[in-house]
Amino acid sequence: MSRSLVKSDSAAAEEMLSILRQSLKSCKTPGETNFEAKVPHIFVIFGASGDLAKKKIYPTVWWLYRDRLVPENTIFFGYARSDLRVEQVRAKCEPFMKVKEGEKERYEQFWKLNHYVKGSYDTRRDFELLNQAMTKAGTVRANRIFYLALPPSVFEVVTENLKSCCMATDSWTRVIIEKPFGKDSDSSAKLSNHLAGLFKEEEIYRIDHYLGKEMVQNLMSLRFGNRIFGPTWNRDNISSVFISFKEPFGTQGRGGYFDDFGIIRDVMQNHLLQILCLVAMEKPCSTAADDIRDEKVKVLKSMEAVGLEDVVLGQYVGDPDGEGEAKEGYLDDPTVPEGSTTPTYALAVTRINNERWDGVPFILRCGKALNERKAEVRIQYRDVPGDIFHGQTKRNELVIRVQPGEAIYCKVMTKTPGMSFGLEETELDLTYGSRYRGAKLPDAYERLILDVFCGSQMHFVRSDELAEAWRIFTPLLHQIEEQKPKPIPYIYGSRGPEEADKMLAENNFVYSGSYKWTKPAHHL
Ligand code: NDP
Ligand code: BG6
């Protein structure tokens, strides 16, 4: 009997947490014997007054502390230029912390472990004061994790000051940084060289939060933990791979920030390319972080740079019949420069020139202000050779739905049930909400920050991966900036430009439109 039938939701969730806590006890990290060692941990959030800190980082460390997943002897520091006290940071975070009944006492304890230091990012003296405060609040010997929830313009000066004044003594230091890791190959190399001059690669944790998502992490288990997929996972059987990200909202007044980057830098060059690597890579010789990352880099090295001829670019316009934000196009956002040609939608056909994938298009698509929220990988198989069903068969598709509603389903042909000998399309369906009812699927940031405590870099981006990712997209980004091709307008809330479907059809993706899904009664 499945877990979901015998346990209440909260009992199942608690059981999973307890398994995780047990496994953490044996989590070995470089520089100490195990995760429960007596050495305290200090977690520092630079940019503690900002948006990312209040919406994501403070809530995440609170949830980890609440669930007793980080060591009990951890203390937390916020650092920013604003003149704040812990109570004020707490007040800013409050709407995002999701504190439930019964957690109040633990929540109070969490804030008692918090400190705040006001300081500027370019003044060495302020970092010395931070260091003194950390030493005073903890012990001289403490492992230190620094989270840079900061704009990229201060990455360099902050890491320099951190290195000069705040490194752990006789314990480890880890630095977490978030994209953007530069804007193109040159700027990214400059940042990488800067960081490499200060820290060892094993001290740097480059976050791509898609690597923390359940179904992205599941790609390796699915591919290498099953016999049925391996033999067909190649150019002989697969016709195209479609990796897609859609969001049903626009820039929501933050277009000024977005306009500097565009959708290719925002989503395609990082989140979608990381997924591509996990779908395409060869089996690593172990699950060690560097063995996996070695294989991912090989995939990227086998890819040619993308050019304008490989893409469809779009920009959303307002829907006159829409409501609220939907009426506004990208260019109506007052923070967007007039006449901007920055794409908010992109579809790119990429190719991997190796023995497994030669001739199989890997199509990446991402867009804002579309008809739905969805991120998925769609592996479309070739037509069945030697047709005996008079053209009735449709291609198999294996769909790994990352969000919303994690699921893996495989579209297959079956005999129409009953007396008929006809064929029909159906699916083999593993929907997590039904199969693993009550299982707690942690937020991507929870998994990734926990990995940093554990010293696991498996789900973080290595510098050579990053350099290759920029090599693939830099020529296209420069072409867009220099030539300013006019993006195709698409209506807010639509599926995007029709030209994208045409490019899909020209690249081994067949959309038949005949598949009908009936939600089973047991689905949530
Ligand atoms: P479909 O065959 O309906 O759609 C396949 C893909 O084609 C989608 O990516 C779709 O959306 C895209 N598409 C739509 N129109 C065109 C077009 N004109 N040209 C090219 N591509 C097009 O199958 P789905 O796998 O999407 O399944 C249909 C529904 O059933 C979905 O809502 C799915 O979530 C649901 N389902 C749920 C399951 C579960 O919960 N376990 C299991 C099976 C199905 P787009 O390009 O807009 O992204
Ligand atoms: C971020 C992008 O990296 O990912 C955002 O900068 C995007 O533009 C977000 O909205 C999507 O993340 P998620 O987890 O909501 O799919």
Side-chain angles (χ1 to χ4, degrees):
M1 205 188 272
S2 82
R3 177 209 306 278
S4 58
L5 297 178
V6 293
K7 292 250 163 68
S8 73
D9 287 4
S10 59
E14 186 45 46
E15 186 190 336
M16 284 214 160
L17 276 176
S18 141
I19 294 169
L20 184 54
R21 278 183 216 119
Q22 281 305 320
S23 66
L24 285 174
K25 282 189 181 164
S26 57
C27 157
K28 297 245 183 347
T29 71
E32 68 175 69
T33 45
N34 78 48
F35 196 65
E36 285 210 319
K38 293 283 173 279
V39 183
H41 291 71
I42 304 179
F43 190 95
V44 184
I45 304 170
F46 286 117
S49 56
D51 224 45
L52 179 64
K54 77 171 179 206
K55 288 190 180 147
K56 225 49 238 192
I57 314 307
Y58 275 107
T60 303
V61 289
W62 148 239
W63 297 327
L64 289 172
Y65 177 77
R66 176 198 63 193
D67 294 339
R68 295 188 157 76
L69 292 172
V70 291
E72 285 292 304
N73 56 2
T74 304
I75 55 174
F76 306 91
F77 269 83
Y79 182 99
R81 290 174 307 183
S82 316
D83 194 5
L84 298 174
R85 280 172 291 115
V86 170
E87 299 77 73
Q88 289 159 305
V89 177
R90 174 177 173 162
K92 278 169 173 269
C93 297
E94 214 77 57
F96 307 99
M97 302 296 261
K98 299 184 191 154
V99 184
K100 296 196 215 75
E101 266 321 305
E103 295 172 358
K104 298 261 159 59
E105 203 180 315
R106 185 100 181 130
Y107 189 60
E108 291 306 321
Q109 278 171 14
F110 169 73
W111 283 109
K112 281 198 186 116
L113 296 169
N114 268 271
H115 304 258
Y116 181 82
V117 173
K118 168 185 181 289
S120 61
Y121 298 118
D122 54 3
T123 311
R124 190 190 152 102
R125 178 72 195 137
D126 290 346
F127 283 73
E128 286 168 357
L129 293 173
L130 170 65
N131 189 47
Q132 281 171 21
M134 287 192 285
T135 311
K136 195 167 151 220
T139 54
V140 176
R141 188 163 176 236
N143 296 320
R144 294 180 176 185
I145 299 176
F146 296 94
Y147 200 113
L148 270 62
L150 291 169
S153 52
V154 293
F155 281 177
E156 296 198 5
V157 66
V158 166
T159 45
E160 240 164 60
N161 283 325
L162 189 171
K163 173 72 182 182
S164 317
C165 311
C166 298
M167 297 295 279
T169 326
D170 214 11
S171 341
W172 51 250
T173 300
R174 294 175 186 152
V175 181
I176 309 175
I177 59 170
E178 285 247 14
K179 77 171 167 74
F181 310 120
K183 284 195 76 178
D184 57 12
S185 287
D186 287 351
S187 51
S188 174
K190 184 169 170 279
L191 178 62
S192 289
N193 290 338
H194 170 85
L195 293 174
L198 300 173
F199 309 107
K200 290 183 269 190
E201 182 65 25
E202 61 266 27
E203 292 175 323
I204 307 170
Y205 287 72
R206 295 178 196 82
I207 282 212
D208 181 315
H209 78 283
Y210 265 63
L211 291 177
K213 293 197 184 255
E214 179 74 23
M215 299 312 279
V216 176
Q217 297 197 344
N218 197 15
L219 282 166
M220 273 186 54
S221 322
L222 192 70
R223 288 190 55 199
F224 304 124
N226 293 294
R227 179 63 186 151
I228 53 169
F229 298 118
T232 60
W233 209 261
N234 53 42
R235 65 193 298 273
D236 299 333
N237 299 286
I238 290 174
S239 123
S240 59
V241 176
F242 183 28
I243 303 173
S244 159
F245 165 97
K246 303 206 290 188
E247 254 177 5
F249 46 84
T251 47
Q252 299 181 314
R254 296 185 66 233
Y257 164 82
F258 181 88
D259 201 74
D260 255 2
F261 294 92
I263 197 73
I264 295 172
R265 288 188 180 95
D266 194 40
V267 174
M268 189 179 278
Q269 181 267 357
N270 35 74
H271 305 327
L272 299 192
L273 200 56
Q274 283 293 331
I275 296 179
L276 178 149
C277 289
L278 292 167
V279 172
M281 72 183 186
E282 298 301 312
K283 188 193 275 188
C285 50
S286 79
T287 54
D290 277 334
D291 287 339
I292 296 170
R293 297 189 296 179
D294 286 348
E295 293 306 332
K296 286 165 70 189
V297 173
K298 281 190 212 159
V299 172
L300 296 171
K301 284 188 168 165
S302 305
M303 293 175 73
E304 274 179 25
V306 177
L308 268 179
E309 63 288 1
D310 305 312
V311 297
V312 171
L313 304 174
Q315 190 184 73
Y316 67 89
V317 295
D319 175 3
D321 302 325
E323 282 173 19
E325 209 209 30
K327 281 197 185 303
E328 310 268 294
Y330 179 67
L331 295 179
D332 301 322
D333 180 336
T335 63
V336 169
E338 213 182 311
S340 164
T341 51
T342 298
T344 59
Y345 176 104
L347 178 141
V349 178
T350 70
R351 294 186 183 268
I352 302 169
N353 181 29
N354 66 15
E355 200 162 339
R356 185 183 291 275
W357 295 118
D358 191 6
V360 181
F362 277 71
I363 305 153
L364 308 179
R365 175 190 67 180
C366 44
K368 299 223 169 234
L370 294 172
N371 60 334
E372 60 183 338
R373 174 170 187 252
K374 183 171 84 173
E376 65 177 26
V377 179
R378 192 171 289 267
I379 317 274
Q380 188 173 85
Y381 283 77
R382 287 172 176 263
D383 293 318
V384 174
D387 175 34
I388 57 167
F389 295 110
H390 315 292
Q392 286 183 73
T393 51
K394 299 285 160 54
R395 290 179 168 190
N396 295 131
E397 271 179 11
L398 174 65
V399 182
I400 297 133
R401 196 167 60 213
V402 175
Q403 64 191 35
E406 292 83 352
I408 300 169
Y409 58 94
C410 184
K411 288 156 84 171
V412 294
M413 300 304 300
T414 192
K415 184 183 99 52
T416 309
M419 293 298 264
S420 151
F421 192 58
L423 274 185
E424 67 178 45
E425 291 169 84
T426 186
E427 68 287 317
L428 303 174
D429 178 8
L430 171 59
T431 298
Y432 273 44
S434 310
R435 180 61 179 82
Y436 299 116
R437 207 148 78 214
K440 179 181 181 314
L441 297 183
D443 173 78
Y445 278 84
E446 274 179 86
R447 292 172 205 261
L448 295 175
I449 290 182
L450 187 55
D451 278 351
V452 181
F453 273 90
C454 283
S456 166
Q457 290 188 307
M458 182 194 288
H459 305 299
F460 293 84
V461 182
R462 205 168 62 185
S463 67
D464 52 350
E465 274 180 84
L466 187 60
E468 285 299 323
W470 280 118
R471 176 191 61 74
I472 294 165
F473 282 102
T474 294
L476 171 66
L477 291 163
H478 285 177
Q479 275 176 309
I480 293 174
E481 271 144 22
E482 283 151 23
Q483 298 174 26
K484 299 202 184 315
K486 203 170 158 14
I488 302 165
Y490 62 94
I491 293 183
Y492 193 122
S494 69
R495 288 188 51 254
E498 279 171 16
E499 286 79 351
D501 285 341
K502 194 161 163 277
M503 195 172 252
L504 272 174
E506 286 162 2
N507 283 281
N508 301 356
F509 181 82
V510 173
Y511 173 70
S512 63
S514 55
Y515 175 70
K516 298 279 172 290
W517 187 62
T518 318
K519 194 173 176 176
H522 67 269
H523 268 243
L524 291 174

